[in-house]
Amino acid sequence: MPNMLLEKITICDWRCFYGEQLIEFASKTDKNVTLIHAENGVGKTSLLNALLWCFYKKTTARFEKPDDILNHQAKREGKTKAEIAVEFSHEDSLYEARRIYRSNAPESQNKVIVSKINFDGKEQTIREDPKLFLNSVLPEEMAGHFLFDGEHAEALTSKSSAIRVSK
């Protein structure tokens, strides 16, 4: 079982999130559940997909227009960059994963940067393959079990999904 605890996410001009938005997650050992509750269409699924996109450059199956990354208002203002940074703890260390999208260089999103945050606040970039490190923390094939779209959970209860769920 992965030993990862989400600390916070910073979202900047990504999808429906205009400007810089910071969400801190409950991370105390006795109170480590964060409930996201809001009206439909305000960004709950986009928040989930921001995590998946940052870690693995993927989104949930039903996420509409997954390549439409830059916030439309930011684009109208001439901005060209969207960014996700996720801070998480793993094995008593603090890390940050960061993925950046630049509309003038869409291939920029292919790179994830992972840094270890030292106790003095200084960051140390992980020089080995950051994708390999992230997969050792939370394997991509298991991510759907921990970072899942509750709104579409009914798909798991269908008869055709029973075999897949039992596996």
Side-chain angles (χ1 to χ4, degrees):
M1 175 138 167
N3 181 15
M4 178 176 93
L5 190 60
L6 295 174
E7 302 283 344
K8 64 184 175 182
I9 182 170
T10 304
I11 304 171
C12 187
D13 293 331
W14 193 85
R15 301 284 298 201
C16 65
F17 295 96
Y18 172 71
E20 185 173 292
Q21 308 296 320
L22 171 68
I23 299 170
E24 293 188 37
F25 298 102
S27 59
K28 294 181 179 174
T29 54
D30 61 335
K31 294 182 180 181
N32 60 4
V33 174
T34 300
L35 178 64
I36 309 286
H37 176 76
E39 304 271 330
N40 287 340
V42 297
K44 298 180 304 289
T45 302
S46 290
L47 174 61
L48 164 69
N49 281 287
L51 289 163
L52 290 169
W53 184 80
C54 181
F55 287 149
Y56 311 109
K57 197 188 156 223
K58 66 186 255 184
T59 57
T60 56
R62 294 186 182 182
F63 195 52
E64 294 178 11
K65 300 179 183 176
D67 296 326
D68 189 13
I69 293 171
L70 187 61
N71 175 275
H72 294 175
Q73 179 64 33
K75 190 184 295 185
R76 282 192 293 277
E77 292 175 6
K79 295 180 183 176
T80 60
K81 181 176 91 168
E83 184 172 356
I84 307 291
V86 180
E87 196 172 289
F88 61 96
S89 56
H90 172 66
E91 295 181 352
D92 298 323
S93 293
L94 192 60
Y95 297 91
E96 180 190 76
R98 180 179 300 268
R99 190 177 298 270
I100 299 170
Y101 167 83
R102 295 182 191 281
S103 60
N104 55 356
E107 68 283 353
S108 61
Q109 69 180 315
N110 294 332
K111 182 180 179 185
V112 62
I113 300 165
V114 178
S115 302
K116 182 176 181 181
I117 302 171
N118 297 319
F119 291 110
D120 61 5
K122 294 181 181 175
E123 293 186 14
Q124 173 186 356
T125 302
I126 294 178
R127 303 235 181 262
E128 310 89 55
D129 185 354
K131 292 178 188 177
L132 186 62
F133 174 75
L134 287 172
N135 271 290
S136 73
V137 174
L138 180 60
E140 185 174 345
E141 63 273 3
M142 291 183 66
H145 299 288
F146 295 94
L147 305 170
F148 65 93
D149 185 353
E151 191 170 292
H152 299 116
E154 75 274 0
L156 297 174
T157 61
S158 70
K159 206 170 201 176
S160 62
S161 296
I163 295 170
R164 190 167 54 99
V165 170
S166 67
K167 287 181 181 179

